[in-house]
Amino acid sequence: MKTAHQPGSQPLEIPESIPNPAHEPRTLPTPTTKPVKAPEKVPEKV
Amino acid sequence: MAIKYQLEDLLVQLHRTTPAKVDAIRESCRRSENGLLSVGLKIHYLGEGAEFDPLIDALGGAEEILVNHYRNTKATLCFVLPPVGNAHAAIWLLQCIERSVGIALFNNPQIQIQVCTPGRIDKENSAILAMCFYLGSDVLRRYNLNDFETTFTTYVTHPMFGGPTDLSRGMRIVLYDAYGDFDKNFEWWKIAGRARALEIAPQLPFDFGRSDVLTATSPVDVRNINLVATLLVHATFGGYWEKLGKKFVKDFKELLDRHMLTALLGAPWLRTDEPETFDNDAFYAALQELTAYALGEAERLKKLQRRFFAWRNSEPDTSILEEVHDLLAAYRKVMRTEALRFIGEEKK
């Protein structure tokens, strides 16, 4: 881990290595489909 | 590569802790996988411990087997392993040694793995190999130039020994061998006859020469280096994968062009005996540019993944990291499919 900072500021930590995000599984969320609402029968006008 | 013991000597020692894996290595250690080239390994140990001592003593002792002059300058030892026919066997071998010596060899900052491929590739192909290794790795690293400093960074021999006198390799990710021992008894896939059919020769078509990659740290690195180096060596020496290798070079150059990184190919990624390749700082400047771009892309990808829907609904993703990952996967698949087709034809 490298550190770098200017006087008066918080040290900034720079990692030596990070995981390559291209190797993380690319998961697609399953689409959530809302159930189709059955139309209510409109009572006929008497 | 000076190896003063046989693979079998090592396997006998490793059999005590990992019998099943050692048997698997014995069974496959001369076999090529889909026409990929053999894999040599060197383990540079940057720690101070004596973990390797029992294994090295069992193989004949440090004075007998660690006679190799070459090592990372920060390493306390450089353990040279006999080459094996495929990347799987190489990874198993490292896993067996891990178990035997009791320290992790993969993803351990105190261990640098050097992956050796038979055949010397030219400057431009070395640049492609180094960049593919870096961008295709499962870990993105920041390097200091002296991470690549070896006892052969500057190395000149006396003319009385014969052969080339300047064996300096500079500070690089990719470097050539120094005319050591060379085991050519590995399969070489080549094209035979007018029908351009596949023929498997029992030996490699060259008597010396390797292209090595320093600082590998994971099984992914070993597999990727083996894949890319095979394509580039076949493109250079006219092997069965020559056409595919040339297409890979073209595809990778187009990828660099899309990311405006083509100029990096002109940097001295390989130190040869040509004076224009001697500048370590010019190599390091190019590597830093690549590193900065890759780390920036990694950060951008992470942010995009957090805002998943915004990402999917925006323009198609053009991250160099995913592109290299997908390029390597695509070529691996083509080679496997073609090899399976050949095996199918053989059975008919």
Side-chain angles (χ1 to χ4, degrees), chain B residues 132 227 248 251-252 255 322-332:
Chain B
C132 284
L227 172 75
F248 178 80
D251 286 350
F252 188 73
L255 183 151
E322 289 192 332
E323 282 183 45
V324 170
H325 179 270
D326 294 349
L327 186 72
L328 298 184
Y331 275 80
R332 199 183 301 280

Side-chain angles (χ1 to χ4, degrees), chain A residues 2 14-24 26-29, chain B residues 135-142 144 220 295 308 321-322 325-326:
Chain A
K2 286 178 185 171
I14 306 165
E16 293 294 333
S17 61
I18 60 164
N20 183 343
H23 285 261
E24 286 164 17
R26 291 174 227 174
T27 47
L28 292 169
Chain B
L135 296 169
S137 180
D138 40 0
V139 172
L140 298 172
R141 277 153 275 188
R142 290 174 200 278
N144 292 315
V220 168
L295 292 172
F308 185 86
L321 301 172
E322 289 192 332
H325 179 270
D326 294 349

Side-chain angles (χ1 to χ4, degrees), chain B residues 8 11-12 15 19 21-30:
Chain B
E8 185 53 32
L11 295 180
V12 166
H15 197 269
K21 239 171 214 170
V22 166
D23 290 342
I25 296 169
R26 274 199 183 110
E27 203 259 324
S28 67
C29 64
R30 286 278 156 190

